[in-house]
Amino acid sequence: MRYDKKIYFVTAGENVYDTSTGDYKQSEPVKDKCYAAVMGMSDQKMRFVYGAIRQSAVEVQLQNHYTDEFDWLEIDRNKYKPDRILMLRNKEVIYASEVL
């Protein structure tokens, strides 16, 4: 299995108070680059994981565990929300669906 696809674990930016305008501004999201094996999910696996067929669902496999907190994944400039995370002995599997 090749872990050759660049993915980003993204944490949303924090709300920062701007004293000159009196408004809150959201800072830039923090991205952490990682390499993974990204595969589309078969209909059978989608029924097993979600109970129904979903469009644009992927399976992401990492060689090691990702231990930091994150809000969403970015794969090929598309936003994916993690639906299920499996921590296996030596690797991690994330089932994610695209946010449209």
Side-chain angles (χ1 to χ4, degrees):
M1 184 170 303
R2 288 186 165 174
Y3 296 90
D4 59 345
K5 190 77 158 179
K6 228 186 289 187
I7 66 167
Y8 295 94
F9 291 95
V10 183
T11 304
E14 296 178 0
N15 287 331
V16 179
Y17 182 71
D18 187 7
T19 57
S20 61
T21 61
D23 293 330
Y24 282 93
K25 292 184 180 178
Q26 191 168 17
S27 63
E28 292 293 317
V30 178
K31 294 183 179 182
D32 188 14
K33 181 174 75 170
C34 189
Y35 287 94
V38 179
M39 298 163 280
M41 294 175 64
S42 67
D43 292 343
Q44 188 176 22
K45 190 177 277 191
M46 270 194 242
R47 281 193 197 106
F48 179 73
V49 174
Y50 298 113
I53 295 177
R54 285 195 176 179
Q55 222 166 357
S56 301
V58 293
E59 177 182 347
V60 178
Q61 291 189 12
L62 302 169
Q63 281 182 321
N64 298 317
H65 295 158
Y66 187 80
T67 56
D68 295 338
E69 294 285 326
F70 66 96
D71 294 320
W72 68 84
L73 294 167
E74 187 176 304
I75 304 168
D76 292 333
R77 298 184 184 190
N78 295 327
K79 188 175 177 179
Y80 289 86
K81 99 176 151 69
D83 296 319
R84 185 171 183 192
I85 299 174
L86 297 175
M87 301 287 259
L88 304 175
R89 181 180 294 172
N90 294 326
K91 65 180 181 177
E92 182 173 354
V93 180
I94 302 171
Y95 297 109
S97 57
E98 186 174 8
V99 177
L100 301 174

